[in-house]
Amino acid sequence: MLYKTEKNNKISIYTIVNGKKKQVKTYELNEKRKANRFILTATADTPEVKQALLNADETKAMVELQQFKNYIQKDRLNIKKTNKNYLGFIDNFIQPYFVNQGIEKISDLSLGTFKETFIPMITKAKNCKGDLLSKKSVIEIVGLFKRFVRYCDEKNINCDLRILTFKFSRNALQRFPGDQFVPFKDQVSAMIKLTHNLPYKALLYTAAETGARPNEILGLTWENIDFKNKKIFIRDSIDYKNRLRKDFLKNSGSRRVIDCSDKLLALLDTAFIYKKGGRVFNYSLKVSKRIVQDAAKRAGVNWVGGLKPFRKFSSTLIRNSKMYSDKGFTTRFGWGNLNTFNKHYEGNLDNQKENQKLLNNLNLTE
């Protein structure tokens, strides 16, 4: 193991032998980069990396990527599966990008080229099944690239640190129709009316009225329904394996209380007359999507997605009804401000006059 100190305008590289410091090499203070290269060369894990470092006039992007991969592999903060995914991202997306763009040194990459070439490439990339990468994967790749830039900066390799200030939002990946789909009121009403299975009808009605997120709806427990005061408490959620996560939500603002109508409470009470413990809707996200799709098919509605569009529908319906102030509205849906609604949720419903009625008279089944 090599160590580095800076003293008296000199950079000293030393190691520990029998508990004592032993100086290995000395550089001038303005030769910090050479000192770092020497340490990397001396501690390279493979002969190929070591030789590449020795032959390089400058620290090349491919060499640094290999060093970064070694670092990722040894990073104990990440679980083994995560490290494997990260290494796959580097091999399949980041490294080919440098090769295809002819980027020899990390210093050749600017914020402009990063935004104009790398980001579009990743958003259009496909996985091994031929499908577009998921939003989560794209965000992880962008974050990993920024982590690589930070890693290079820590090793005093010149790079455009403005890349670290780049903010990438999953909302930039609105490439599927479901991201724009907001159902009409008559469509939702028809779906609920034509669903005769009471638990399924209750699921649809709950989603349409509360506008809660899918994992919040499926994580709803009976102890979080206050029939007396007509309120639903959003406190829990489910994970991707359909396991209940107590007191685990998207963010702090997601923990909230939602006013609900007499119709919704009556439907819940009737649909689950013999069940008043545990989760209300003990369905997975996959099963809930099938329930919604079947309801849409019966109603002749060209529905896109599962429970998610109900959040857009409900927020638009409630907003048009003007029954809440801005603060009350954002609190009901767990938002910090109106940006999310204005940019991604707002849509036009079919009957504006009908939307002026209060919560008990929303008439989602008429």
Side-chain angles (χ1 to χ4, degrees):
M1 181 69 71
L2 296 179
Y3 304 90
K4 180 178 69 172
T5 60
E6 297 179 13
K7 190 176 182 180
N8 298 328
N9 294 324
K10 295 285 185 180
I11 298 175
S12 298
I13 298 174
Y14 65 91
T15 187
I16 305 295
V17 179
N18 296 327
K20 296 182 179 180
K21 283 185 180 181
K22 181 179 179 181
Q23 188 163 308
V24 177
K25 204 167 183 65
T26 303
Y27 291 92
E28 297 295 330
L29 194 60
N30 60 1
E31 295 179 311
K32 184 179 292 186
R33 198 167 173 185
K34 288 185 178 180
N36 289 332
R37 281 187 56 207
F38 175 81
I39 293 175
L40 284 174
T41 303
T43 57
D45 289 345
T46 64
E48 293 81 7
V49 175
K50 187 172 183 178
Q51 190 60 43
L53 282 165
L54 289 170
N55 294 338
D57 293 330
E58 293 286 346
T59 306
K60 296 186 177 180
M62 290 302 100
V63 175
E64 292 307 327
L65 271 172
Q66 182 60 52
Q67 290 293 320
F68 181 59
K69 285 174 65 177
N70 294 339
Y71 165 75
I72 289 291
Q73 273 183 307
K74 295 177 181 179
D75 187 1
R76 295 183 179 180
L77 293 178
N78 297 327
I79 59 176
K80 189 175 182 180
K81 183 180 178 181
T82 303
N83 281 342
K84 185 178 179 181
N85 290 341
Y86 285 171
L87 294 175
F89 289 152
I90 295 172
D91 288 338
N92 296 321
F93 302 106
I94 297 179
Q95 185 167 316
Y97 170 75
F98 277 88
V99 174
N100 295 338
Q101 295 294 320
I103 298 174
E104 279 290 307
K105 296 174 289 185
I106 185 66
S107 59
D108 293 337
L109 182 71
S110 67
L111 175 62
T113 57
F114 174 74
K115 291 168 61 175
E116 294 168 11
T117 57
F118 182 74
I119 297 300
M121 184 198 80
I122 293 300
T123 56
K124 296 176 183 178
K126 296 184 178 181
N127 57 24
C128 57
K129 295 181 180 179
D131 300 323
L132 288 170
L133 293 178
S134 66
K135 294 181 180 182
K136 181 180 178 182
S137 294
V138 173
I139 292 170
E140 284 185 346
I141 294 171
V142 173
L144 189 61
F145 195 105
K146 293 168 74 172
R147 187 175 174 185
F148 172 56
V149 171
R150 193 178 296 110
Y151 170 85
C152 291
D153 179 55
E154 290 173 356
K155 294 188 173 297
N156 298 310
I157 299 167
N158 291 331
C159 47
D160 192 343
L161 297 182
R162 293 179 301 167
I163 292 174
L164 300 179
T165 65
F166 175 75
K167 293 184 179 180
F168 184 81
S169 170
R170 65 174 61 233
N171 293 324
L173 293 172
Q174 289 191 340
R175 54 200 178 194
F176 303 113
D179 289 312
Q180 288 84 32
F181 174 64
V182 180
F184 289 111
K185 181 173 175 288
D186 60 347
Q187 293 176 322
V188 173
S189 296
M191 288 170 61
I192 296 174
K193 283 179 67 176
L194 296 175
T195 299
H196 302 296
N197 181 300
L198 287 183
Y200 291 178
K201 184 190 287 284
L203 174 67
L204 300 179
Y205 206 108
T206 302
E209 183 177 307
T210 66
R213 298 178 179 92
N215 63 337
E216 295 171 347
I217 295 171
L218 299 177
L220 181 64
T221 59
W222 287 103
E223 65 185 22
N224 288 328
I225 300 179
D226 186 345
F227 284 90
K228 181 179 179 180
N229 296 308
K230 303 177 184 179
K231 296 183 184 297
I232 288 178
F233 298 87
I234 303 297
R235 294 168 176 162
D236 312 318
S237 63
I238 61 165
D239 64 10
Y240 70 100
K241 290 187 176 180
N242 196 32
R243 296 174 299 198
L244 181 65
R245 300 183 293 187
K246 298 291 291 183
D247 294 312
F248 187 94
L249 297 170
K250 183 177 180 180
N251 51 49
S252 59
S254 296
R255 187 180 176 89
R256 59 198 189 277
V257 182
I258 298 177
D259 298 322
C260 50
S261 67
D262 295 330
K263 290 183 179 180
L264 173 57
L265 292 173
L267 181 56
L268 286 170
D269 190 40
T270 305
F272 301 99
I273 191 170
Y274 299 112
K275 177 189 174 185
K276 291 294 188 292
R279 285 170 57 184
V280 179
F281 306 108
N282 198 14
Y283 311 127
S284 65
L285 287 167
K286 185 176 181 180
V287 171
S288 68
K289 182 177 181 180
R290 177 178 58 79
I291 293 171
V292 175
Q293 293 283 0
D294 288 347
K297 187 176 180 180
R298 283 191 296 271
V301 178
N302 186 22
W303 192 272
V304 182
L307 289 171
K308 191 174 180 180
F310 283 113
R311 185 163 172 82
K312 300 178 178 66
F313 165 80
S314 178
S315 59
T316 301
L317 186 69
I318 296 295
R319 188 63 172 164
N320 288 340
S321 72
K322 299 180 180 178
M323 66 178 76
Y324 292 103
S325 64
D326 288 355
K327 178 63 177 175
F329 175 74
T330 53
T331 299
R332 180 182 175 88
F333 290 93
W335 292 320
N337 50 53
L338 288 170
N339 290 343
T340 300
F341 174 75
N342 289 335
K343 290 181 181 178
H344 309 295
Y345 283 74
E346 187 176 8
N348 294 318
L349 295 182
D350 57 331
N351 192 335
Q352 294 298 316
K353 290 183 179 179
E354 192 73 20
N355 295 335
Q356 301 301 313
K357 297 183 179 180
L358 295 179
L359 192 60
N360 269 341
N361 298 312
L362 287 176
N363 294 325
L364 291 178
T365 55
E366 296 179 9

